[in-house]
Amino acid sequence: MTVLALLDGTIVDHTAPLLRVDDLAVQRGDGVFETIMVVDGRPRELGPHLERLARSAALLDMPPPDLAAWERCAQVVLDAWRGGREMALKLVYSRGVEGEGRPTAFAMGLPVGPETIRKRNEGLSVITLERGYAADLQERAPWLLLGAKTLSYAVNMAALRHAERNDAQEVIFTATDGTVLEGPTSTVVIAQGRTLRTPPPSSGILPGTTQGALFRAAEAAGWNTKVEPLRIEELWDTDGLWLVSSVRLITRVHTLDGKTLPDDEQRAALHREITELFESQYV
Ligand code: PLP
């Protein structure tokens, strides 16, 4: 089951041709996107996702997205969905055809893949990989579009294939100064006692909507939260390590760079607690 709607709310056949070959999304990956989790017809963190779409578009000097139109378009997809309880809602906003100055914009509803569900249930073996830039580069080099969720995910996907060739399923990117960045499609979160920590967006990573929602719920439940640089060595000394993102949710890391992380009843209980905290916001 796939639902495809144009920004004006027209539903179109997702198997029929839609994009021109000279669309800059096709030619250069020049555009931005968002992927939103929908459960029982309710989108999660829609506001933060739309805000991030607007921020990404601004970083690419694209016309500001009409957020009210995107909300209406998202609703069209939600109303037409006849699939399971969960849906991944993808918003795609490309620069459009060169010279025309008119972005291409559409929303898609897609089922959550079996691989994602397996990772959620079984946890992850993760390797750390160098991303090749300094954690303070974002401000000095805005043309690198660090912190924008662009359609150019070829590097991110290559990193995941590299992980698979090394018997892992996921990646944590690291900066040249030995700090932790993010996963190719996820945010890194650790627990140390009753404190949750995640690296700062100022290091050139995406501000995660899932991490934001988790920290909001955790603070309300009395946890401390810190958004601050995290050194690679610190990943080894945690009470919990997760990769979090909208559709994968809160996924536990059980193996890091080929070494199994401690696994006992206390850690299993912590994982349940964190997952329940996160989910409790959406019941
Ligand atoms: N970082 C990157 C590079 C991502 O692609 C994503 C999501 O796809 C995230 C972090 C997590 O963001 P969110 O929690 O908003 O899905």
Side-chain angles (χ1 to χ4, degrees):
M1 167 89 202
T2 299
V3 177
L4 172 60
L6 309 182
L7 185 58
D8 68 5
T10 317
I11 295 214
V12 290
D13 176 0
H14 76 279
T15 64
L18 173 69
L19 293 181
R20 280 176 47 166
V21 294
D22 50 0
D23 193 293
L24 289 167
V26 179
Q27 297 284 346
R28 295 185 181 148
D30 194 354
V32 299
F33 78 104
E34 282 296 321
T35 305
I36 300 157
M37 182 66 183
V38 178
V39 183
D40 293 332
R42 293 207 304 269
R44 292 180 169 181
E45 307 302 319
L46 183 59
H49 278 287
L50 290 175
E51 282 163 28
R52 194 169 63 188
L53 186 78
R55 252 193 336 270
S56 298
L59 284 165
L60 269 71
D61 304 313
M62 288 176 64
D66 177 347
L67 298 187
W70 276 109
E71 260 188 69
R72 287 193 298 273
C73 174
Q75 193 57 50
V76 167
V77 175
L78 298 183
D79 292 344
W81 180 253
R82 299 286 175 273
R85 287 187 62 199
E86 292 192 340
M87 175 182 95
L89 173 65
K90 192 162 180 181
L91 313 182
V92 178
Y93 186 53
S94 105
R95 197 180 299 280
V97 171
E98 184 139 36
E100 292 201 346
R102 192 158 24 92
T104 304
F106 56 87
M108 293 178 83
L110 302 154
V112 177
E115 188 58 16
T116 302
I117 292 170
R118 200 169 62 81
K119 287 179 178 176
R120 272 187 206 164
N121 294 336
E122 295 177 9
L124 298 166
S125 173
V126 172
I127 55 170
T128 52
L129 292 182
E130 292 173 82
R131 191 73 170 84
Y133 62 74
D136 64 351
L137 188 61
Q138 181 179 37
E139 222 175 290
R140 281 187 282 129
W143 59 89
L144 291 179
L145 303 179
L146 301 176
K149 194 166 167 68
T150 78
L151 290 169
S152 312
Y153 262 47
V155 168
N156 307 41
M157 297 300 111
L160 291 175
R161 290 195 300 277
H162 187 83
E164 273 165 29
R165 280 195 295 274
N166 287 276
D167 300 322
Q169 297 109 27
E170 266 292 351
V171 170
I172 293 178
F173 283 130
T174 60
T176 50
D177 64 356
T179 58
V180 172
L181 294 171
E182 62 187 341
T185 62
S186 61
T187 310
V188 179
V189 173
I190 67 165
Q192 287 170 323
R194 302 301 283 177
T195 300
L196 294 180
R197 287 176 61 193
T198 196
S202 60
S203 59
I205 63 174
L206 283 190
T209 61
T210 313
Q211 169 270 318
L214 172 62
F215 278 29
R216 188 177 64 213
E219 281 163 23
W223 284 72
N224 301 311
T225 62
K226 288 186 179 164
V227 180
E228 63 181 12
L230 184 60
R231 298 203 55 78
I232 302 169
E233 314 84 78
E234 293 184 279
L235 295 178
W236 293 101
D237 188 24
T238 69
D239 296 310
L241 170 59
W242 298 272
L243 292 185
V244 310
S245 63
S246 300
V247 176
R248 103 187 41 223
L249 308 174
I250 313 290
T251 309
R252 193 176 173 191
V253 177
H254 56 63
T255 306
L256 184 63
D257 286 334
K259 296 194 191 73
T260 309
L261 295 173
D263 185 17
D264 50 29
E265 184 41 44
Q266 206 179 336
R267 281 162 194 270
L270 177 64
H271 177 62
R272 283 195 299 276
E273 181 182 350
I274 293 293
T275 303
E276 280 162 21
L277 256 182
F278 177 72
E279 289 295 329
S280 65
Q281 310 181 83
Y282 304 113
V283 290

